[in-house]
Amino acid sequence: MAFRRLTSAQRFAIKGAVTYSPRLVNPAAIGDPKLCPWGFVPQNRLRDILVNPTVRGRQEIRVNLSSNGEFIEPYGILSDFQRLDIDFSEFSNGVGIAYQNVASLFSDASTDFRNVELVSPRLSLFLNNCLSTMDEKGHTHPTVLVDTVEPLVQELAVEFGNVDQNNKWFGVYDTEEIKFHLLGGFLPEVTTANELQGNHPQRIVASVLYKAKEKFWCAGSSEEPETWSDNIHYVEYESPAKGEITWRIRNFNKCIYTP
C-alpha cells in the first residue's frame, strides 16, 4: 500500500511549521533515496561534519571523539544523568529500542507520524513529507532494516521552554507555559521572580550518536542491498523537566530547526 499523498494545503502547513536545516538538508532532494537516504543527510556529508571541526555546520552538532578519531561517550556523562536522577542504563537501552521502532515505522507505508508519540510534531511533519514525496516520485515502499545499533550518549542538558508535543496548543505550548509568558509579558518582574525560583518551563535534552549496521532501499526504484552499511546518526531527544520523564525524538541528524 502506497503512503497517502499530502494535499497542497497539508504541504503548505508543513512549510509553515517546519524549517529545514539549510546546511544539511536540500529540500529539492527530499523524496530521492540517493540524495536524501534514511537519516535524510548523506553519510559522507554527515561524517565530514562530525569529525571535521572546520566544516560549516559542525558547531550545530556536539560529538566526542577519542584521540584516534573514534566516537565515544564523554567523560562525566554518567554524573550528568545522576544529577538529574535519570537512570543512564535505562535511557541507553530505551533509545536503542526507540531507534529501531522509528526505522520500522518509516518502513510501514501506512504510518502517519502525527499519531506516533515517540516523535515531536515538527519531526512527524518532516517524516510524513519525506514518505509522501518518495511515493509521488515513484520510490515506493522505503525499507530500513537494522541489524545492530549502538547508542553513544553525547550530551544531557536542561533548556528553557516546554517540550514539543502533539497534545499541546499548536504543538508547542501548554496552558502553564502560556500563562507563564502572558504574565511575563504584562509584568516583567513576575518572569524574573519565576526564573529565580526555578518556575520557568524547562525541558531536558539528550543527544545520542548511533552506530548502526543497516540497509535502506525503495522497492519502486532499487533492490535490497547485498551488504550491510555501517552508518552513523545524530538524534536529539527531549522530555519535560518536571513530572514523569517521557522522552520524544525532536530531531534527526539536525534535519530541522528546533527552537
Side-chain angles (χ1 to χ4, degrees):
M1 179 176 64
F3 181 79
R4 174 177 52 81
R5 296 189 177 186
L6 301 178
T7 65
S8 58
Q10 289 171 327
R11 286 201 181 281
F12 180 80
I14 289 175
K15 290 181 180 179
V18 181
T19 302
Y20 301 158
S21 171
R23 297 177 180 176
L24 296 170
V25 177
N26 177 7
I30 291 177
D32 187 322
K34 292 184 178 180
L35 300 177
C36 186
W38 167 243
F40 321 109
V41 179
Q43 281 291 302
N44 58 350
R45 169 65 174 157
L46 183 61
R47 287 179 182 274
D48 194 26
I49 290 175
L50 291 176
V51 302
N52 189 347
T54 63
V55 171
R56 189 182 181 192
R58 173 68 170 84
Q59 66 272 19
E60 298 179 10
I61 300 179
R62 299 183 182 91
V63 295
N64 293 270
L65 297 171
S66 67
S67 57
N68 60 356
E70 292 290 325
F71 295 109
I72 58 173
E73 290 181 336
Y75 176 78
I77 189 68
L78 183 58
S79 298
D80 292 340
F81 275 77
Q82 291 173 340
R83 277 193 290 271
L84 293 178
D85 197 24
I86 300 173
D87 189 301
F88 177 81
S89 179
E90 183 178 290
F91 175 81
S92 186
N93 291 333
V95 294
I97 296 171
Y99 178 87
Q100 297 188 63
N101 285 345
V102 170
S104 178
L105 288 167
F106 194 80
S107 303
D108 184 345
S110 64
T111 297
D112 183 344
F113 277 98
R114 292 173 300 176
N115 300 323
V116 177
E117 292 187 0
L118 182 59
V119 298
S120 72
R122 289 186 179 91
L123 186 58
S124 68
L125 292 175
F126 175 82
L127 294 172
N128 276 0
N129 189 37
C130 288
L131 288 171
S132 179
T133 308
M134 282 183 181
D135 178 53
E136 292 176 1
K137 292 183 177 181
H139 307 298
T140 58
H141 300 288
T143 301
V144 184
L145 285 184
V146 181
D147 182 32
T148 61
V149 60
E150 178 187 1
L152 299 173
V153 183
Q154 299 296 296
E155 186 181 34
L156 185 72
V158 177
E159 296 179 347
F160 288 156
N162 263 316
V163 299
D164 195 8
Q165 297 179 7
N166 279 318
N167 61 357
K168 300 169 73 174
W169 293 5
F170 306 109
V172 180
Y173 300 103
D174 62 15
T175 53
E176 289 302 311
E177 188 168 7
I178 290 172
K179 182 171 68 175
F180 174 85
H181 288 299
L182 284 176
L183 285 174
F186 290 112
L187 300 172
E189 64 275 13
V190 174
T191 299
T192 302
N194 279 330
E195 289 176 349
L196 290 174
Q197 296 170 17
N199 295 328
H200 47 71
Q202 293 180 331
R203 57 182 174 240
I204 305 172
V205 178
S207 59
V208 179
L209 182 80
Y210 289 96
K211 297 168 66 176
K213 191 177 290 291
E214 56 195 7
K215 295 180 180 180
F216 172 67
W217 75 96
C218 292
S221 57
S222 60
E223 297 181 354
E224 178 180 351
E226 295 183 359
T227 59
W228 297 93
S229 296
D230 292 317
N231 293 337
I232 54 174
H233 301 287
Y234 183 87
V235 179
E236 291 180 341
Y237 290 81
E238 65 179 8
S239 168
K242 297 181 180 179
E244 182 182 0
I245 299 295
T246 52
W247 295 104
R248 284 178 172 81
I249 300 174
R250 75 171 186 177
N251 214 338
F252 204 116
N253 287 333
K254 284 290 187 179
C255 289
I256 61 175
Y257 169 75
T258 53

